[in-house]
Amino acid sequence: MPFITTADATEIFYKDWGNKDAPVVMFHHGWPLSSDDWDAQMMFFVQKGYRVIAHDRRGHGRSTQSAGGHDMDTYVADVIALTDALDLHDAVHVGHSTGGGEVARYVARAKPGRVKRVALVSAVAPIMVRTDSNPDGVPMDVFDMVREQTATNRSQFYYDFTLPFFGYNREGAEVKEAVRLNWWRQGMMGSALAHTLGIKAFSETDFTDDLKAIAVPTLVLHGEDDQVVPFATTGKMSAEIVNGAKLISYPGFPHGMPATNADRINADLLAFIEG
């Protein structure tokens, strides 16, 4: 399996499918998942002739279960190491949830010519947690509960968490047990320590300055019924902060819409990338 090794000897697993000379779309996954969460998009875009790349964040999936580095700056340093190793240029970077924050910070710090376009999907930016400057954010005690459950009751908590993640707790929802189990499988592949420590990274990191620094075409996609990363205080605000960003919001779509509504998300991403 392909890996790169970072400066602190962490091995980062990645997938690299398609013609090496084709336009690149790189996908960044959410917490506590892996690159497998992008299967529906990677299969779609590789069949459209793109080179598709996705990595497992440190402590997630098949990457090293490192004891340290579970902060956004290190996550982004790992992405820089991977994109440098693969020598990617004019790539489209697509980030979901935590991966959206990772993309925002990476693009703000990337070398000239590395990034062509950006898509933020159900992303945690600009900041999730409630603060004095973000009074409508999610209360800290919610994240404290997630931390406690991840550290002590991870298997059951992850399984239960799939219900709001995919909107399966809504009346009339078609619950797909295999989708829930695939989410659980990805989560349980990773490190309990990494996942617990990483909650601070996705909930407390302020990406406002990163969003302001983005100077390439940007698409923001967000479900209006996102029960995990509330639309009004994240996607809607990010689209207002990024200069010239295009916002598409979806009534009734959940946080996990790249899986539950893959056809629509894929079509909108393709139109943006080829637009």
Side-chain angles (χ1 to χ4, degrees), residues 136-174:
D136 296 323
V138 179
M140 180 63 79
D141 58 9
V142 173
F143 299 114
D144 289 339
M145 177 276 293
V146 175
R147 257 184 286 271
E148 191 273 334
Q149 288 292 302
T150 301
T152 64
N153 187 37
R154 188 167 67 133
S155 182
Q156 187 63 53
F157 176 66
Y158 282 4
Y159 180 69
D160 293 341
F161 190 66
T162 60
L163 292 174
F165 190 95
F166 293 114
Y168 288 161
N169 57 348
R170 295 309 197 202
E171 184 177 354
E174 180 188 357

Side-chain angles (χ1 to χ4, degrees), residues 6-72:
T6 67
D8 68 350
T10 299
E11 290 190 319
I12 302 296
F13 168 83
Y14 67 95
K15 303 176 183 180
D16 186 352
W17 302 347
N19 188 319
K20 296 300 185 286
D21 295 324
V24 175
V25 183
M26 183 168 173
F27 297 92
H28 304 245
H29 67 79
W31 177 96
L33 304 172
S34 75
S35 55
D36 293 354
D37 200 46
W38 285 113
D39 280 353
Q41 285 68 47
M42 292 184 71
M43 289 296 295
F44 175 82
F45 279 97
V46 77
Q47 291 169 356
K48 294 291 184 181
Y50 287 86
R51 178 185 178 188
V52 293
I53 297 167
H55 71 297
D56 292 357
R57 192 170 297 117
R58 65 169 55 213
H60 297 63
R62 288 140 293 209
S63 292
T64 301
Q65 294 197 4
S66 54
H70 306 293
D71 59 87
M72 195 55 63

Side-chain angles (χ1 to χ4, degrees), residues 242-272:
V242 179
N243 185 35
K246 177 182 180 180
L247 170 65
I248 302 177
S249 63
Y250 305 92
F253 280 23
H255 188 62
M257 64 185 187
T260 59
N261 304 91
D263 289 351
R264 178 67 186 277
I265 301 305
N266 291 350
D268 287 341
L269 284 172
L270 181 64
F272 168 69

Side-chain angles (χ1 to χ4, degrees), residues 65-80:
Q65 294 197 4
S66 54
H70 306 293
D71 59 87
M72 195 55 63
D73 286 343
T74 306
Y75 293 162
V76 170
D78 292 345
V79 173
I80 292 172

